Amino acid sequence: MPVFPTGDIIDSHFRTSTLPHIWCPGCSHGIVTRALAQALDNADADKDRTVLVSGIGCSSRATGYLDYYTIHTTHGRALAVATGLKLARPDLRVVVISGDGDTGAIGTSHLVHAARRNIDLTLVCYVNNTYGMTGGQGAPTTQCGDITSTSPFGHLERPLDLCALSQAAGAAFVARATAWHYDLLVRLIAKGIEKKGFAVVEAVSSCPVYAGRLNGQDTPAQMLFAMREQGVSDPGAALGAGQFRIGELWDVEAPEYVETYHRQARGRAGR
Ligand code: SF4
């Protein structure tokens, strides 16, 4: 008998033989991964034509659990591998699962160039403001003043806004939600999957073991309640300290790279 909760989405979208997962108790990566599975379901993703590609980090373990064709690549290179895959097989739907340390540091240039090309990929970036897997080091998204294992007196660097960066670099769709705002997160990921072009969905998640414990948030529930207050869905509302916008942040139509490339190649070949 299984010792973990089951249900339609779990049974139909997860490799149940790999569960329970290895994420720490209270980590909200499980919520985000379930939201992704629900979004794939809502978007009618064909399992035979959908590939999930991840990098390295706690969030990237998700490809081990989801019952799709999956590729677990190296640190920071998920978008590069996904780009090659999409160019070789334009018929596939490719979803990239990544963390903020993965995409916002070693993989930043891949993010910028995937956005600049407007390549038809969906990036779901789990953002928990730390490097959880390696011990809670400061990440590119760590807030100023936060305590991390590499900044015991407070983080000095300003955080990178991955949504603003993606929009500025040319992504067609940019959105953000948190693990607390589950229904919104499902809706945004599904829209990103259906969007033609490069779609980025930032999924604000939590690392209670490092980011929480080191910064006075003693329980996973406290971190989720904090997300509820931090995420602001009214685009006209002023942002207070520590708050950020959630919802659809950017949605435009723009020429998509793979389609354009193959059209040009066919033209040159006279087909
Ligand atoms: Fe989650 Fe942090 Fe544990 Fe990684 S180290 S599984 S991010 S709680």
Side-chain angles (χ1 to χ4, degrees):
M1 290 287 287
V3 293
F4 47 85
T6 58
D8 283 350
I9 288 298
I10 303 292
D11 291 335
S12 57
H13 291 267
F14 284 77
R15 297 172 181 141
T16 51
S17 62
T18 65
L19 299 176
H21 57 67
I22 65 155
W23 292 314
C24 305
C27 177
S28 61
H29 283 1
I31 300 174
V32 176
T33 303
R34 194 191 193 287
L36 170 57
Q38 183 69 60
L40 286 161
D41 190 78
N42 291 3
D44 285 329
D46 177 352
K47 280 192 174 184
D48 290 334
R49 292 189 173 275
T50 303
V51 183
L52 311 180
V53 182
S54 69
I56 293 292
C58 291
S59 56
S60 288
R61 298 298 297 246
T63 46
Y65 304 127
L66 289 159
D67 189 21
Y68 283 80
Y69 288 113
T70 55
I71 310 175
H72 196 173
T73 68
T74 53
H75 196 215
R77 309 303 174 213
L79 279 169
V81 171
T83 296
L85 177 63
K86 186 69 188 179
L87 271 167
R89 289 287 307 272
D91 57 308
L92 297 178
R93 197 191 293 259
V94 183
V95 177
V96 176
I97 298 170
S98 175
D100 45 344
D102 202 24
T103 289
I106 188 172
T108 316
S109 63
H110 297 303
L111 173 67
V112 168
H113 295 296
R116 181 175 66 84
R117 295 180 182 120
N118 191 32
I119 189 161
D120 189 25
L121 304 172
T122 307
L123 168 66
V124 180
C125 189
Y126 296 45
V127 173
N128 61 4
N129 304 345
T130 191
Y131 285 93
M133 180 174 272
T134 49
Q137 294 88 351
T141 47
T142 302
Q143 300 297 306
C144 266
D146 275 6
I147 306 298
T148 74
S149 62
T150 48
S151 56
F153 309 114
H155 196 67
L156 293 178
E157 300 166 9
R158 288 176 294 172
L160 189 57
D161 182 336
L162 294 173
C163 287
L165 177 64
S166 302
Q167 177 180 336
F173 180 75
V174 180
R176 182 191 289 119
T178 79
W180 171 271
H181 302 87
Y182 178 82
D183 290 342
L184 176 65
L185 184 58
V186 171
R187 218 164 49 242
L188 294 174
I189 297 174
K191 185 155 186 188
I193 290 169
E194 287 167 337
K195 179 76 184 180
K196 185 82 174 171
F198 189 56
V200 177
V201 180
E202 181 178 303
V204 177
S205 190
S206 61
C207 175
V209 167
Y210 291 110
R213 187 170 49 85
L214 292 172
N215 291 285
Q217 289 180 302
D218 294 329
T219 67
Q222 256 183 284
M223 299 194 84
L224 285 165
F225 289 138
M227 286 179 204
R228 180 183 61 183
E229 307 307 322
Q230 289 165 332
V232 176
S233 57
D234 177 357
L239 294 181
Q243 290 188 311
F244 46 76
R245 300 216 181 276
I246 56 173
E248 288 183 30
L249 306 177
W250 182 249
D251 186 7
V252 293
E253 301 304 321
E256 192 276 323
Y257 184 86
V258 175
E259 202 171 71
T260 309
Y261 173 84
H262 284 284
R263 195 184 317 118
Q264 286 187 355
R266 280 197 302 274
R268 279 186 178 270
R271 286 184 273 133

